[in-house]
Amino acid sequence: MSGIRVLVAGASIAGPALAHWLRRRGAEVTVVERAPELRPGGQAVDARGVTKEVIRRMGLDAAVRAARTETAGAYTVDADGNVLETYRADDNGGDGYISEIEILRGDLSQVLYDDTRDEVEYLFGDRIAELTQDADGVDVVFASGDRRRFDLVVGADGLHSALRAMVFGPHERFVRHLGLVLAFYSVPNEFGLDGWLLDYQDSGRSAGLRPIRDATRAMAMLSFPSGDFDVDYRDVAAQKSLLRERMAGMGWMTPRILAHLDDTPDFYLDQVAQVAMDRWSSGRVALLGDAAFSSSPMSGGGTGLALVGAYLLAGELAAAEWDPEIGFARYETRMRPFVEANQEIGRLHVRSLISPEPSADFDAEWFAELIERAINGVELPDYAGVPDSGTPAGAPITSSAKP
């Protein structure tokens, strides 16, 4: 063991993935999550290209594939349900619009948690309240009152990262809203969904349904353009009211989808946004995933950025013998071109939805090259000579809560 103590904020995808690699590299890891348990459901997330290799190296390929949505493909439809375009999951070698590995965010989070829960300390229902760092470590005060010292702290707490605001500055400095609002929530499958995603678009708005593993239910997806979004992201009642207002008059099956707003167990709504930062680290504190470089759900690459970033961050820290200045710098150098390609795709996708005229030629060679950079445009070193237990090691640690 290296004896290095690392605190990770956030237990969605980036946090547990980083915990996996940090443990294999020899660190002692604590993950703190403000929610009382893992959040279920959420949007479907994808693993394409190099991300599938990271999952394989984690030893989680079988577990991830077992939790897939098993979506066969997607149809875009008109207001009467007539099919306009067809996309299949095996297009482009499984790395197309509907990817071969597609899984609900909550299901992937559960796979990653199950993989690490016995070897990583999880503190649910708590958060970092205060943080001060010096040349040798980071002193943390938790909201629960617990005080501890760590060698390194990593924020993997999402777009609205509290740790980022605490260490780097206010959200407004880094969050770039793209002018679109997305909502996801599960509904009863009363729509005859049979393994295919359905998507209807009209005047910048969209309504869709996608299959999930539970065939009796489906995931609803709604979006609308908005340049003046000012609803608190924690005020669910206000979000539902806004969604009803902005989706009013939408055709197809939209009214039936909206009818389930009040009885869904897993409603989520937020503005489509990206995070742009000159640096993802400050001293002994670094950021990972959406907290550092959100590409937005419209990029299709946010999960890949989180998983690849976790692999590189842990690997570069261990290769630098846990020197944060060296390890964090190398992590940023390797990741930034990959991040930029995925962010560009996110921006292009949003513009194509909300603009009445096409803003880009998606059949052009430059776009195919951009897609390739966003899927495979990062090197995965094998970190030969760096400690790797192969599987997490050490005595089990009892979590403060078991979802």
Side-chain angles (χ1 to χ4, degrees):
M1 294 292 294
S2 69
I4 294 293
R5 299 177 303 272
V6 184
L7 173 65
V8 179
S12 181
I13 292 174
L18 179 63
H20 169 103
W21 288 111
L22 288 171
R23 283 295 296 176
R24 283 178 57 170
R25 301 306 184 199
E28 300 172 17
V29 188
T30 297
V31 178
V32 61
E33 166 59 51
R34 70 162 60 226
E37 58 187 8
L38 297 180
R39 291 182 294 119
Q43 71 269 36
V45 298
D46 306 290
R48 299 180 175 89
V50 70
T51 304
K52 291 190 284 191
E53 173 61 15
V54 170
I55 292 171
R56 188 192 67 79
R57 293 186 188 186
M58 295 177 83
L60 295 178
D61 187 68
V64 168
R65 288 177 181 273
R68 289 180 297 173
T69 62
E70 306 265 347
T71 302
Y75 297 128
T76 59
V77 299
D78 64 16
D80 297 319
N82 299 310
V83 175
L84 303 176
E85 292 179 288
T86 300
Y87 304 91
R88 300 181 182 278
D90 56 4
D91 290 346
N92 303 111
D95 286 339
Y97 174 65
I98 299 296
S99 69
E100 168 198 12
I101 296 182
E102 180 189 77
I103 180 173
L104 294 186
R105 184 211 56 78
D107 290 342
L108 179 56
S109 178
Q110 187 70 54
V111 169
L112 295 169
Y113 173 71
D114 289 344
D115 170 65
T116 54
R117 62 189 295 171
D118 291 334
E119 312 298 341
V120 169
E121 180 186 25
Y122 279 85
L123 305 175
F124 287 93
D126 208 348
R127 59 182 173 81
I128 299 171
E130 297 177 33
L131 177 151
T132 54
Q133 60 174 314
D134 53 43
D136 301 316
V138 187
D139 291 307
V140 174
V141 179
F142 294 93
S144 62
D146 192 12
R147 296 171 178 266
R148 298 200 209 173
R149 185 170 174 84
F150 298 90
D151 297 289
L152 302 169
V153 176
V154 179
D157 48 346
L159 177 67
H160 302 286
S161 170
L163 184 65
R164 185 186 63 228
M166 190 179 297
V167 176
F168 296 86
H171 297 300
E172 296 75 21
R173 187 180 300 174
F174 309 112
V175 177
R176 307 285 185 266
H177 297 300
L178 301 186
L180 190 73
V181 173
L182 275 179
F184 301 91
Y185 56 97
S186 62
V187 297
N189 184 11
E190 59 183 45
F191 306 94
L193 224 56
D194 60 353
W196 286 79
L197 180 153
L198 303 177
D199 181 56
Y200 170 64
Q201 298 183 13
D202 180 40
S203 303
R205 298 184 296 177
S206 72
L209 291 163
R210 75 177 324 130
I212 57 178
R213 281 188 301 153
D214 179 357
T216 67
R217 297 188 67 79
M219 187 64 66
M221 311 167 294
L222 303 169
S223 73
F224 58 87
S226 176
D228 58 351
F229 182 79
D230 60 357
V231 177
D232 183 348
Y233 76 97
R234 295 189 185 279
D235 188 343
V236 174
Q239 292 170 12
K240 290 182 177 180
S241 177
L242 176 69
L243 186 62
R244 283 195 178 93
E245 174 190 326
R246 296 297 179 93
M247 300 304 293
M250 184 84 166
W252 187 56
M253 294 190 285
T254 310
R256 291 172 60 192
I257 294 172
L258 291 170
H260 292 288
L261 255 183
D262 289 331
D263 54 40
T264 185
D266 50 14
F267 179 80
Y268 168 89
L269 179 146
D270 205 350
Q271 201 161 20
V272 173
Q274 296 183 340
V275 172
M277 303 183 72
D278 293 334
R279 286 178 57 87
W280 304 329
S281 64
S282 176
R284 291 181 167 271
V285 179
L287 300 174
L288 173 67
D290 282 355
F293 40 69
S294 169
S295 59
S296 86
M298 306 309 293
S299 73
T303 297
L305 293 178
L307 294 178
V308 171
Y311 176 82
L312 292 174
L313 178 53
E316 294 299 334
L317 281 170
E321 297 183 339
W322 305 99
D323 182 314
E325 184 175 0
I326 297 172
F328 291 159
R330 289 176 178 169
Y331 149 69
E332 292 195 29
T333 298
R334 289 192 181 277
M335 277 295 291
R336 198 167 284 277
F338 190 48
V339 167
E340 290 172 351
N342 278 278
Q343 290 189 331
E344 179 63 16
I345 286 174
R347 292 190 292 270
L348 287 170
H349 192 180
V350 170
R351 285 204 295 270
S352 73
L353 288 176
I354 65 180
S355 173
E357 298 296 331
S359 58
D361 180 4
F362 295 113
D363 293 323
E365 184 177 343
W366 69 266
F367 186 68
E369 292 173 351
L370 177 63
I371 291 288
E372 177 61 20
R373 292 202 308 274
I375 293 175
N376 291 307
V378 63
E379 178 191 359
L380 295 180
D382 60 12
Y383 294 114
V386 170
D388 186 354
S389 66
T391 56
I397 300 173
T398 302
S399 165
S400 65
K402 293 280 188 181

